[in-house]
Amino acid sequence: MKTSMKTTTTMTAPVSAPAMTAARRLAAAVAAAMASALLFHLGTGLRPHPWLIWLAPLPVLSVALRRSARAAFAIAFIAWLGGESQLWGYFLGTLDMPPPVVASILIGTALAFGLAVVGTRTLLVRRRTLTAACFLPVTWVGLEYLLSLTMPHGAWWSLAYTQADLLPVLQTVSVTGPWGVTFLVLLVPSAAAVLLVPGVAGRVRVATVAVTLLAVALGYGGWHLARAPGRQPGKVALIAADQPDDPISLATPAGRDLLDRYLARVRDVAANGVRVVVIPEKVFAADDSSLRVLSEPMVRLAAQRKVDVVVGLVLTRGGSAHNAAIEFQAGQSRPAVYHKRHLIPGAEDDLRPGDEPVLVPGPAGEWALAICKDMDFPTLVRDYRRRGAVGVLVPAWDFGSDGWLHSRIAVTRGVESGVAVARAARRGDLTVSDPTGRVLGETRSDAAPIAAVVTALPSPAAPTLYAKLGDWFAWACLIALAAAPASLRRSHDRCTVERNAASAANASSSPPTRHRSTTVKASDCT
């Protein structure tokens, strides 16, 4: 018994203090990465919880800013990749994107986030405190904007859409576009993380700037919402019927049967004072010979009920197929035809894109025609607003799980340029929003055999600053980002001068004295 006890004692070795410290630091890094990954998971994606994105970067930043550059990068990379990996199934399964493309998107953005956090740390070490607090939001705005210009999906990818249901925050897009909202949601946690670093200089300035910008944005949001336009006497209706994925040819009995169902539903809603009806994207397929199956009854119905009807279909003419929206106007025998200008790569390679805007007479002004993915491009809607459009009629087709996200992208486009949006999507949401982003009516397309939303048309609003000036804020962020290396060089030179002065002072002093005002740690200049 004694021998056993002695053996146990000799085999137990105390854990050294450095080992315990290293273990604690590793545990803190893992905990921070996991916490941020969870918050990114819940605060972004197809149906985000809007307030969580304001917190998501804080755990990883609060730890990464106190670690080496390598450790900071690793923690941030893991946090972002862990949070955004939820989109793997959506990209791969729903959108049918190739695995290498999906991997490049998720890993590429994780690399960008990691580098942005390292940049924040570097600026903080160089004592550029305010610049450090702004570096992550400025970098992310620049990344989002450059991707919107270079990728075929426009501004589909932005943190701004997480805030689409927080209307006081969303109003910022009427001044800055989506880029201002992205800046705000990243500035707050970035500034908070900088303020939490012990001994950091310039705390008051960082806190003042962050609080002032947030207060101005929310104050403007409240003021803009208070000036929201009212509603018109006329109504708009969005209707969508369940059907197979592919457009149904009007030359077939199934196509004519589906058309009859839609005609009956249009008659029902028109009896309730509806002025405009929107039917989803690619409901039918038609060519020159079968188009009359649709056009003849729609022209009659529009004239009899004094209602304009927008129908989405695949229209083949002269050997070219287009994703089209046709508006049958009350009292007009010749319909307006719009061809979708931004096609989905891969899924719509067999279609030819359009190149012309189309505006049609509507209640209280002209209304623009757009189709689904067109609304991912701020420039398209901004151009319509400059042409005098007061609203956009949007046939659409979503993928089921992304219905909320796509509807809110369209809502955001409306707030940016000050236009109403009536978007009818199959396998998604039927949504009507006013120029401030208030959702006036909404339902799922599968809520009924033929789902419908009927609501009063919003009144026109004045053009926004963003509609007039465009992406000025995104360009300002790019210019600031381009100036960051010069700022780092200046701070490095200053550190070098101060360090040399301190070394000279210490060398000439006997006994050595401490120079609080000039001493700089070696790490401050690396």
Side-chain angles (χ1 to χ4, degrees):
M1 185 70 177
K2 293 181 180 179
T3 303
S4 174
M5 292 178 64
K6 183 177 180 180
T7 302
T8 302
T9 302
T10 57
M11 292 180 62
T12 302
V15 179
S16 65
M20 293 180 64
T21 301
R24 290 194 188 102
R25 289 169 65 84
L26 178 61
V30 171
M34 291 179 63
S36 283
L38 178 61
L39 290 169
F40 278 127
H41 178 87
L42 297 174
T44 62
L46 302 180
R47 193 63 172 88
H49 299 278
W51 286 113
L52 295 184
I53 190 61
W54 296 77
L55 302 174
L58 183 56
V60 70
L61 283 169
S62 62
V63 172
L65 296 184
R66 309 181 195 194
R67 303 297 171 88
S68 67
R70 287 184 180 180
F73 176 82
I75 296 167
F77 178 88
I78 293 170
W80 180 269
L81 188 62
E84 299 308 298
S85 60
Q86 62 175 308
L87 295 174
W88 176 267
Y90 172 70
F91 288 147
L92 199 63
T94 303
L95 300 186
D96 199 26
M97 296 173 66
V101 174
V102 177
S104 66
I105 293 173
L106 297 179
I107 294 174
T109 53
L111 288 171
F113 186 72
L115 291 173
V117 170
V118 171
T120 301
R121 174 199 173 275
T122 302
L123 286 163
L124 189 62
V125 165
R126 301 281 175 82
R127 295 183 293 181
R128 310 291 292 187
T129 310
L130 181 59
T131 307
C134 295
F135 186 75
L136 175 59
V138 166
T139 301
W140 213 252
V141 167
L143 176 64
E144 286 188 355
Y145 183 58
L146 290 177
L147 288 177
S148 76
L149 296 178
T150 58
M151 299 295 286
H153 302 289
W156 179 87
W157 185 74
S158 174
L159 294 178
Y161 306 127
T162 65
Q163 307 300 299
D165 285 344
L166 296 181
L167 294 185
V169 178
L170 185 63
Q171 304 313 301
T172 298
V173 304
S174 67
V175 177
T176 64
W179 330 115
V181 174
T182 294
F183 181 88
L184 282 177
V185 299
L186 292 178
L187 174 66
V188 170
S190 184
V194 167
L195 293 175
L196 290 173
V197 176
V200 69
R203 290 172 182 266
V204 173
R205 185 167 54 169
V206 170
T208 300
V209 170
V211 170
T212 299
L213 289 177
L214 183 61
V216 168
L218 294 178
Y220 169 77
W223 173 79
H224 198 244
L225 285 169
R227 299 172 65 249
R231 303 194 189 186
Q232 304 178 43
K235 297 179 181 179
V236 60
L238 314 177
I239 58 178
D242 290 333
Q243 67 180 86
D245 284 345
D246 294 331
I248 300 178
S249 172
L250 287 165
T252 65
R256 291 190 289 271
D257 177 68
L258 181 61
L259 175 59
D260 289 340
R261 293 171 60 198
Y262 269 113
L263 290 169
R265 197 72 174 98
V266 172
R267 293 188 188 97
D268 290 341
V269 298
N272 295 321
V274 166
R275 179 69 178 79
V276 181
V277 178
V278 184
I279 295 173
E281 176 186 11
K282 291 184 178 178
V283 171
F284 302 108
D287 55 22
D288 287 327
S289 61
S290 60
L291 182 59
R292 62 179 181 80
V293 176
L294 172 69
S295 60
E296 290 177 359
M298 279 294 182
V299 168
R300 288 196 300 269
L301 180 59
Q304 293 169 359
R305 301 303 177 98
K306 293 181 172 52
V307 61
D308 299 338
V309 184
V310 180
V311 182
L313 73 161
V314 175
L315 181 60
T316 302
R317 282 178 165 173
S320 297
H322 295 269
N323 186 341
I326 300 181
E327 188 194 52
F328 300 93
Q329 302 171 40
Q332 298 289 330
S333 59
R334 186 183 181 90
V337 180
Y338 171 79
H339 295 153
K340 184 178 181 180
R341 288 186 271 174
H342 296 283
L343 302 176
I344 301 174
E348 294 185 308
D349 288 346
D350 58 330
L351 302 177
R352 183 175 176 179
D355 56 8
E356 293 291 335
V358 174
L359 291 96
V360 295
E366 290 191 305
W367 284 65
L369 297 183
I371 299 175
C372 201
K373 192 168 184 59
D374 287 334
M375 298 300 286
D376 292 348
F377 293 81
T379 304
L380 183 143
V381 180
R382 205 165 64 237
D383 177 66
Y384 269 137
R385 187 67 179 97
R386 290 170 178 169
R387 293 172 181 267
V390 298
V392 190
L393 305 174
V394 189
W397 182 6
D398 296 332
F399 295 97
S401 60
D402 59 2
W404 179 90
L405 176 60
H406 280 159
S407 70
R408 291 319 188 263
I409 291 175
V411 168
T412 302
R413 293 290 90 80
V415 180
E416 287 170 357
S417 294
V419 296
V421 177
R423 184 180 186 271
R426 58 187 180 111
R427 295 194 63 198
D429 293 354
L430 310 176
T431 308
V432 180
S433 60
D434 74 4
T436 64
R438 286 194 175 100
V439 175
L440 307 180
E442 185 172 40
T443 191
R444 290 284 301 176
S445 60
D446 58 2
I450 301 184
V453 165
V454 179
T455 186
L457 283 162
S459 299
T464 64
L465 189 64
Y466 180 69
K468 297 175 181 178
L469 300 182
D471 295 314
W472 67 271
F473 186 81
W475 280 107
C477 288
L478 287 176
I479 292 170
L481 191 60
S487 176
L488 282 173
R489 284 194 297 271
R490 287 195 302 270
S491 63
H492 178 72
D493 293 343
R494 185 187 66 186
C495 281
T496 301
V497 170
E498 291 181 356
R499 184 177 59 187
N500 292 339
S503 298
N506 289 332
S508 63
S509 300
S510 181
T513 58
R514 300 179 66 185
H515 298 266
R516 293 181 179 271
S517 61
T518 58
T519 300
V520 181
K521 293 185 293 185
S523 61
D524 287 346
C525 296
T526 59

